Amino acid sequence: MLRRILLSLVATMIVAALCVYGAFWRPSLAAVPVPAANSFSPQLVEKGAVLAGLGNCASCHTAKGGKAFAGGYGLATPFGTIYSSNITPDPATGIGTWSQEAFKRAMHEGVRADGAHLFPAFPYTHFTTITDEDVTALYAYLMTRPPVVAPAIANTVPFPLSLRPLQAGWKLLYFKKASYETEVGKSVDWNRGRYLSEGVAHCAACHTPRNKLGAELKNSPYLGANIDAWFAPALTDANTAPLPWTEDEIYTYLRSGMTALHGTASGPMAGVIYDGLAKAPDSDIRAMAIYFADMNGSSPDAKQSKLLSLDTIKSEATLAKIMSKSSQVGGQYNDHGANLYLAACASCHSNSNGKPSAIRPELGLNSALTAAEPTNLIQVILHGIAKREAQPSLVMPGFAATMSDDDIAQIASYLRRSRTELAPWPAVDVTVAKLRKSSKSE
């Protein structure tokens, strides 16, 4: 009797698995000759370049020191390292023989030209809402890039999770093909910002925490998440920055990479801004700022004018308090963290005129100090901020080679206790060692 029940159970599971796979089975699509670069109009290619920048495609599809879009970038996930694919038009190792239809299917459904399901590390869950016209422009842009011979690198996802058919089950749980639907009652700019942010820019992919199966938590959008040894902060009112991220502050940050009231882009976000958004028109950057300001509750539409006035007063008081605390960095000679800060950091971060400056970031205003964990602050102390063409005046040396784990932990802890009124971070030295080790393994 028991044997019969078990056999029935196994049979039921097999039938269910076959039904799921059958529902998500996709055929291979015929290969096509590599399209000639001059078969696409310059205007279409330029539009695709802007969209590819908004999607920051190059960052994920370019290995460190490798050729653009040739793949090989390893994304560490809880399931193993997944390496990006070659999306240059090389016919053997890239997507040169993919038809436009095959490319659209990959973007909208997460299915390769050969019919295999893609891992959700490729954010088709967001790209599914991109219009066919925009997908066409992206195809034109990628097919006009220099072809690069770069065979795929094997992922380290263990068996059986490495089986592509299992992705069909994941899609059944977490993916729904969709198109963008205009939000009635919201402005044209708001809808444009939402379309870009939720679609091609896939901002939620980094800023939303995920469940144990790697899917974004639908009930916690944009509440912040750990990714690539950094912490992508919350983009809602849960953000811990001392001053609000208003529409103008968000616009300035996305456009230039720094603001006087919030600091400087670093880590993966620096690539998004300096490499990705550089070609995006001001109107699109402004539209995204409008969308996120509405999300975090700082937009005029989100609050009544009376409340805005109260917020302004609170912001001015907060700014004055932070600047006052920042000026009290001297005279703490019995504090090892303070002494290290004075010797290595204060000359660049001290705003002697009492006003915050974008090129001399006031650390007390930076959410890296008010975050629940010290990850981002430690990463910047370890590796500094590289000189970018867009901001030649902004550069910070890294201290990984000259300071011990304890020194860096002392500075981070000192900044936390001297610039905020929050509880100390626990085990900062352990986090320093962990992040230093992860950077050596890259």
Side-chain angles (χ1 to χ4, degrees), residues 10-274:
V10 170
T12 300
M13 293 175 66
I14 291 174
V15 170
L18 290 174
C19 288
V20 169
Y21 184 65
F24 284 88
W25 176 84
R26 295 293 182 273
S28 62
L29 297 180
V32 299
V34 181
N38 61 8
S39 63
F40 303 101
S41 73
Q43 294 79 12
L44 187 64
V45 173
E46 180 58 29
K47 178 181 178 181
V50 172
L51 289 166
L54 281 160
N56 203 27
C57 305
S59 288
C60 281
H61 285 276
T62 304
K64 189 175 183 180
K67 295 184 177 179
F69 300 110
Y73 177 83
L75 179 65
T77 77
F79 314 100
T81 300
I82 296 177
Y83 292 91
S84 60
S85 57
N86 180 354
I87 55 172
T88 73
D90 177 64
T93 62
I95 61 171
T97 60
W98 284 32
S99 65
Q100 190 165 304
E101 188 63 25
F103 182 74
K104 186 176 77 172
R105 188 175 69 172
M107 295 291 289
H108 283 169
E109 299 180 42
V111 179
R112 293 191 316 207
D114 63 2
H117 290 281
L118 293 164
F119 290 110
F122 175 67
Y124 60 86
T125 51
H126 292 276
F127 296 159
T128 187
T129 60
I130 301 175
T131 64
D132 287 355
E133 292 77 13
D134 283 352
V135 172
T136 297
L138 282 165
Y139 180 77
Y141 174 68
L142 293 175
M143 286 301 180
T144 53
R145 298 308 91 203
V148 180
V149 178
I153 300 175
N155 301 319
T156 66
V157 178
F159 179 85
L161 297 177
S162 58
L163 297 175
R164 297 279 180 175
L166 286 184
Q167 298 308 310
W170 191 93
K171 287 181 175 179
L172 181 65
L173 294 172
Y174 303 115
F175 174 62
K176 182 179 180 182
K177 186 179 177 183
S179 56
Y180 183 78
E181 295 183 3
T182 300
E183 183 81 13
V184 177
K186 294 292 187 181
S187 69
V188 173
D189 287 338
W190 186 95
N191 273 288
R192 176 66 177 170
R194 183 188 182 209
Y195 168 75
L196 294 173
S197 302
E198 302 294 345
V200 68
H202 61 284
C203 305
C206 288
H207 289 272
T208 297
R210 295 173 181 266
N211 65 20
K212 292 182 178 179
L213 293 179
E216 293 171 28
L217 294 175
K218 295 301 181 185
N219 60 349
S220 305
Y222 292 108
L223 287 185
N226 289 294
I227 183 166
D228 254 5
W230 287 78
F231 181 74
L235 303 185
T236 66
D237 59 1
N239 187 283
T240 60
L243 298 178
W245 277 99
T246 62
E247 177 190 318
D248 284 343
E249 281 290 297
I250 297 171
Y251 168 81
T252 302
Y253 180 80
L254 294 178
R255 183 80 285 174
S256 70
M258 58 184 186
T259 85
L261 300 183
H262 288 93
T264 304
S266 56
M269 195 60 198
V272 170
I273 291 173
Y274 297 124

Side-chain angles (χ1 to χ4, degrees), residues 283-307:
S283 57
D284 281 350
I285 300 293
R286 177 61 70 177
M288 294 172 74
I290 290 171
Y291 174 61
F292 283 115
D294 185 57
M295 180 186 296
N296 70 27
S298 68
S299 72
D301 289 339
K303 292 189 174 184
Q304 299 174 2
S305 58
K306 182 178 180 180
L307 290 176

